Every structure is written in C-alpha cells, then in structure tokens.
Amino acid sequence: MTSILVTGGTGTLGRPTVAGLRANGHSVRSLSRRTGPDVVTGDLLSGSGIPESLAGVHTVLHLATKGRTDVAASKTLLAATRAAAVEHLVFVSIVGIEAVPIGFYRDKLAIERLVAESSVPYTILRATQFHSLVEQVFVAQRYSPVILSPAFSMQPIAVEEVAERLVEVAEEGPAGRIADIGGPEQLSGRELARAWAGAAGSRRPIWSIKLPGKAFAALMAGRNMVPGPSYGRRTFAEYLSERYPADR
Ligand SMILES: NC(=O)c1ccc[n+]([C@@H]2O[C@H](COP(=O)([O-])OP(=O)(O)OC[C@H]3O[C@@H](n4cnc5c(N)ncnc54)[C@H](OP(=O)(O)O)[C@@H]3O)[C@@H](O)[C@H]2O)c1
C-alpha cells in the first residue's frame, strides 16, 4: 500500500483516478480547495494546506488545473514535494503541446520542464482530449442556430482509460516522459459534430470552421493526435450512447 496525494482529485480525471487507486488498495488523499469528508483541504495558489497534505506521502499525482495560473500552482507543489521528500511525482499533460502555440499549451510545456528539472523523480503522461471535453464544445453551442465544428481532426479518449493508465503509472514508479496515449479513432470535426448531433437529437446544420494562424495550422496537420497504434478502446459513439440513451 502506497500513500498517494492526488491534486485535482475532485475533477473529471481525478475522480476515476482516485477510485482506481483506492480499488487497488492504496491510501489516497484527494486534494481540494473545499472542505469535506473525502478530501484534504489545500490551495495550490496560496499554498495553504499543501505541506500538511504531503506529510507521509510517497507519490503525488498532479492533475489540478485552473487555466493560466497552473504554472504558479505547479511551482508551489514542486517546492513542497521536494521539501516533503516525495519519491514519485506524476504529471498529466496534453498531446502536441510543443507544436500548437497557444497560451495554455505553452504553460503545460513550462510545467513539464519544471517537473523534469526538479529533483523529484517523475513520470509525465500526455493524453489527447477527453470525450467529455469534445461533447462540451458542442453543448456550449446549444443556443446557436448552427453547430460550428473545427476543420481539424481529434482523437478523443475515455477519461476512465486515462485514469487506468495513471494508476499503472503510479504503481510502476518514476519513468520520465512515457508514451503518449489517445483514443481509438481519429475523427474529423465534422464527424464528431455529426455524432454528437445524432445522439443529442439536433438537426441544426453543421458548419466547418477554419481559422488562420500557426496554432490552427498545427491542429490541421494532426499534431494534437498520437501516431501509430491507438491506446484507448472506448469510442466517442459509445460514450455518446451512454450520455444520450435512445429511450430518454
Ligand atoms: N480535459 C481534457 O480533455 C484533458 C486532456 C488531456 C489532459 N488533461 C489534463 O488533465 C488534468 C485534469 O483535467 P480535468 O479535466 O480533470 O480538470 P477539472 O475537471 O477542471 O478539475 C480541476 C481540478 O483542479 C483542482 N484545482 C483547481 N485549482 C486548484 C487550486 N488552486 N488548488 C488545488 N486544487 C485546485 C479542482 O479542485 P477543487 O475545485 O475541488 O478545489 C479540480 O479537482 C489537467 O492537467 C488537464 O490539463 C485534460
């Protein structure tokens, strides 16, 4: 049994990861800014509660995110993990961040470098977008007369499969940057929009959107996807059929 702290343990990826670690018999603390019976309270931005949350912890899975403050939050965590003599830090990142020049991805890359340069033994796992994130892109447009879909393709993955991999990674020990993981299919934006519209019962027209700039060009070139055999097994269609049952 290993003592593990999961930052972001209350989030989309954190919840199945904490459940998977506990199912394997580990002693798991889930960090949250909130208070409650299932969490240890701490804030990576102010630093409050972080040293206490790390007392006696062997492995840290760093999944917390809040946008553009992530670099500062990660610096706080890294300093505290060093002070607490943590033996393994796992950081989850995103496929293609060095190729797609957007601010959030630059920050992710900066955190990867901080992790690699810190004295704490580490593993970095990059994943493609979760099914739920792709769904959100379309749900967010529910009041639009048309569905806008990006002209590039994506390779969405089930968050449960990312969580399963994280459990393995936590158990295997420090391995540096390991192989990226992605979902079972590379689908065009239009195919993803059609699948969502079919499942959600929307008959609105789908417009494919192309934007200028280096970031969009990198996405058009498929840099957000994983070449070679896929890791994930659960398809976007399977995810949608559970989210939008036909008999609802
Ligand atoms: N979404 C995707 O498609 C995708 C794809 C690849 C990789 N990733 C990466 O996977 C990781 C997890 O993403 P997610 O979608 O699960 O995120 P999420 O659902 O937005 O959850 C964010 C988590 O961060 C915690 N958090 C935020 N600010 C904090 C702070 N100042 N101190 C402590 N905790 C804080 C939140 O905890 P409380 O609210 O309880 O405090 C929450 O548990 C991120 O690194 C993300 O970049 C995501």
Side-chain angles (χ1 to χ4, degrees):
M1 183 175 89
T2 306
S3 182
I4 300 176
L5 176 76
V6 182
T7 79
T10 59
T12 307
L13 176 58
R15 288 188 302 271
T17 304
V18 167
L21 289 166
R22 286 190 176 142
N24 277 11
H26 299 288
S27 161
V28 184
R29 293 180 198 161
S30 173
L31 183 77
S32 173
R33 289 163 296 178
R34 291 182 279 106
T35 53
D38 275 352
V39 295
V40 291
T41 304
D43 188 330
L44 288 167
L45 272 186
S46 69
S48 77
I50 302 304
E52 296 83 347
S53 75
L54 284 164
V57 163
H58 176 282
T59 298
V60 174
L61 272 64
H62 182 29
L63 318 182
T65 186
K66 188 66 184 166
R68 299 303 303 273
T69 53
D70 285 358
V71 176
S74 299
K75 281 183 180 168
T76 303
L77 180 70
L78 277 168
T81 54
R82 267 193 305 273
V86 167
E87 291 178 44
H88 186 195
L89 174 71
V90 179
F91 178 58
V92 68
S93 186
I94 306 172
V95 169
I97 49 172
E98 72 284 356
V100 184
I102 56 176
F104 184 61
Y105 281 14
R106 286 199 188 99
D107 289 352
K108 276 275 178 208
L109 202 54
I111 299 167
E112 283 192 2
R113 289 193 181 123
L114 289 169
V115 168
E117 286 162 9
S118 108
S119 54
V120 181
Y122 71 94
T123 305
I124 293 173
L125 173 68
R126 290 184 180 180
T128 56
Q129 282 64 44
F130 308 155
H131 290 146
S132 52
L133 184 80
V134 177
E135 179 195 6
Q136 275 310 310
V137 169
F138 301 123
V139 170
Q141 304 179 48
R142 57 190 168 281
Y143 302 120
S144 162
V146 297
I147 300 171
L148 303 179
S149 68
F152 56 82
S153 295
M154 299 174 83
Q155 190 182 2
I157 188 166
V159 72
E160 296 81 5
E161 292 178 336
V162 182
E164 275 168 31
R165 184 74 188 109
L166 281 173
V167 172
E168 289 171 356
V169 161
E171 291 176 346
E172 283 163 9
R177 164 99 189 270
I178 58 171
D180 299 352
I181 60 172
E185 300 172 308
Q186 300 190 349
L187 298 169
S188 69
R190 184 174 285 280
E191 287 171 320
L192 292 163
R194 246 194 241 126
W196 176 80
S202 170
R203 291 162 175 257
R204 287 174 289 153
I206 294 167
W207 288 5
S208 191
I209 297 295
K210 216 171 178 172
L211 296 173
K214 285 184 184 163
F216 208 86
L219 293 165
M220 289 297 289
R223 300 296 300 274
N224 55 328
M225 297 187 290
V226 186
S230 63
Y231 173 85
R233 301 167 305 281
R234 191 163 182 237
T235 64
F236 188 53
E238 286 166 347
Y239 167 82
L240 290 172
S241 68
E242 266 180 34
R243 294 278 297 156
Y244 304 87
D247 57 354
R248 74 188 188 281

